[in-house]
Amino acid sequence: PAAEGSGIGGVLLRRCLRDQRAAGHDSAQIGWVGPVPFYSRSAGARIERVFFLYRKQIEN
């Protein structure tokens, strides 16, 4: 919490993506995460697919 808003998350994300590119990858998927605006702003990520999670309590 003390580092929240300092930009360290964006730096770490971009470094991870840079390391992946150096390893020969030309794309990355960031699945099941949020907040979407953070990934869009920090790395230019865009929403490609949306998944919905359904739950139902099963009674015994």
Side-chain angles (χ1 to χ4, degrees):
E4 190 172 338
S6 69
I8 190 74
V11 171
L12 292 171
L13 173 62
R14 288 187 298 276
R15 177 163 289 199
C16 288
L17 293 171
R18 185 186 68 200
D19 291 348
Q20 289 179 2
R21 182 171 296 282
H25 301 282
D26 61 358
S27 66
Q29 290 184 1
I30 308 167
W32 296 92
V33 296
V36 171
F38 165 76
Y39 289 96
S40 178
R41 181 178 59 252
S42 297
R46 60 180 167 71
I47 295 174
E48 188 172 283
R49 293 188 281 177
V50 176
F51 297 91
F52 295 94
L53 178 63
Y54 294 93
R55 293 184 185 182
K56 178 170 176 47
Q57 184 68 33
I58 299 174
E59 297 180 25
N60 292 331

